[in-house]
Amino acid sequence: MVHLKARLISWLENNRELVVALFCLPASFLFTVALQLRAHLRRLVARADQHERAVKEIQARVQEWNKLPSRDRRLLCTSRPNWLSLSTTFFEKHLHHRVPIPLYDILELDEQAMTVRVEPMVTIGDITEYLIPKGYSLAVTIELVDATLGGLAFGTGMSTHSHKAGLYHETITAYEVVLGDGSLVTAAADNEHSDLFKALPWSHGSLGFLVALTLKIVKVKPFIKMKYTPVEGQKEYCNLLRELSGTYEREPKEFPDFLEATIFSENEAVVMSGDYCDGDPTAPVNHSSRWYKPWFYKHVQSFLKKGESVELIPLKDYLLRHNRAIFWVVEDMLSFGNDALFRYLFGWLLPPKPAFLKFTTTPGVRAYTFTKQVFQDIVLPISELERQIEMATQLFDKFPLLVYPCKVIDRGPSSGQLKRPHSKYLVPGTNYAMFNDLGVYGVPGKVKEKKPYSPVTAMRKMEEFTREVGGFSFLYADIFMTREEFEAMFDLSLYERVRRKYGAEGAFPHLYVKVKPEIDVFAIGEENAVQ
């Protein structure tokens, strides 16, 4: 049996592209259609008072749980299947008391207050389809259509507008939460639950059940006028990013609405700066998200040869530009996926649905893939960008790298799980520092070359560097920290007080328990390290 399993894994590894092309893509497409039909049927039977009725049902379930004998009260979590989450981990929900949270609707658009109120299971795809025709967008829009607004609220996220707007949670004005005793509270920055408001971001469902949230929106224009600037020399592209993001001054001469960089090697990058635009007859229009178009990062790479260029991208295409190739992860699944013939004939099947990929992941496959790929977003001071690139190159040897500048605001002591940015990183005359997301996605170079590679060693060194410079890891991805190291990276002082005050202790799992991998990363990582 062991020999057969090893042969099967070896066959799957050697024929991965065949499996993805002939099975995963068609099955993923059918899976997506099934989910869409389910959502359509749910909307057909919706009632005007559905939200209130659903919230009362959630409260009733939690209150019933409280009546159970203490020995029978397992900790609470949602009943949403792990495979529907974009997290790389598989939280052990079967060991917990699961409560359904069937909340999928957009509740209210307030154009005067410039906010939108939504239920937590509304996705980026849903809200984009709803807001853009009305001339609005979320202040921070993540590029993956399947990400839920509630998941981002209790986790986090950023976009290429984050050098202006900050992290995703900075755009939330209110959370509506069912607590461990079944009561419903609304937490806002200026009400009696302001401490809960501060602790909910990065809490990952460890303080209560989110039943609605209110987010800031911004007015938009039909196009993004995008400027592609290829840069040779690491110092040169790092400095350009710092200059355009406002790292050195409060009001730089050029402050684009959108800013990012794709780093193709240690010495080559393309910096992209974009602004809202009504149109420009002198600039070509690129519908970048259409199925037959080159993957966006490949399009970006072409400017290394073409030189600096400007084009218009329709807003929706821009916001979802990385969706088809899941940034560049799909290339490791389908090396021919960007070939013109494949794009025209089968590009509409992309991307493989993350939910389907997780749905078909067995514990054995999870342990295997854990050692063969990296999928990390790490937020670090942009002043240390050169060191970030050097560290990522040494540890993962994986290009491209993604860089999104992001404002991290100093909210004062004990103001949430994010530690205050060090004073040396603050932008002069402000209460914020400019950080950046460093995205490392795909199969490390050493794995491709079948050279010695230990995922545990690599990630622990990266986490050590992150703690050293005052950065933090996105917790949707696997972490390799001990509890003590985790508490050194994050400030849990307010979080622990809020857990006690609002009855989360004994009702919901602790944050560290919620986000740590369900597998023994140290044992599996060393046992399966590429030799």
Side-chain angles (χ1 to χ4, degrees), residues 270-295:
V270 177
V271 176
M272 289 155 276
S273 52
D275 290 289
Y276 288 115
C277 179
D278 288 311
D280 183 345
T282 67
V285 176
N286 178 16
H287 295 272
S288 60
S289 292
R290 290 183 177 174
W291 83 93
Y292 55 84
K293 286 284 189 173
W295 291 345

Side-chain angles (χ1 to χ4, degrees), residues 289-308:
S289 292
R290 290 183 177 174
W291 83 93
Y292 55 84
K293 286 284 189 173
W295 291 345
F296 188 72
Y297 84 96
K298 288 292 190 182
H299 175 63
V300 171
Q301 189 174 23
S302 70
F303 294 104
L304 291 174
K305 293 183 178 179
K306 293 178 184 176
E308 186 171 277

Side-chain angles (χ1 to χ4, degrees), residues 500-511:
R500 293 189 293 269
K501 177 178 176 181
Y502 289 92
E505 284 192 354
F508 296 93
H510 189 275
L511 172 59

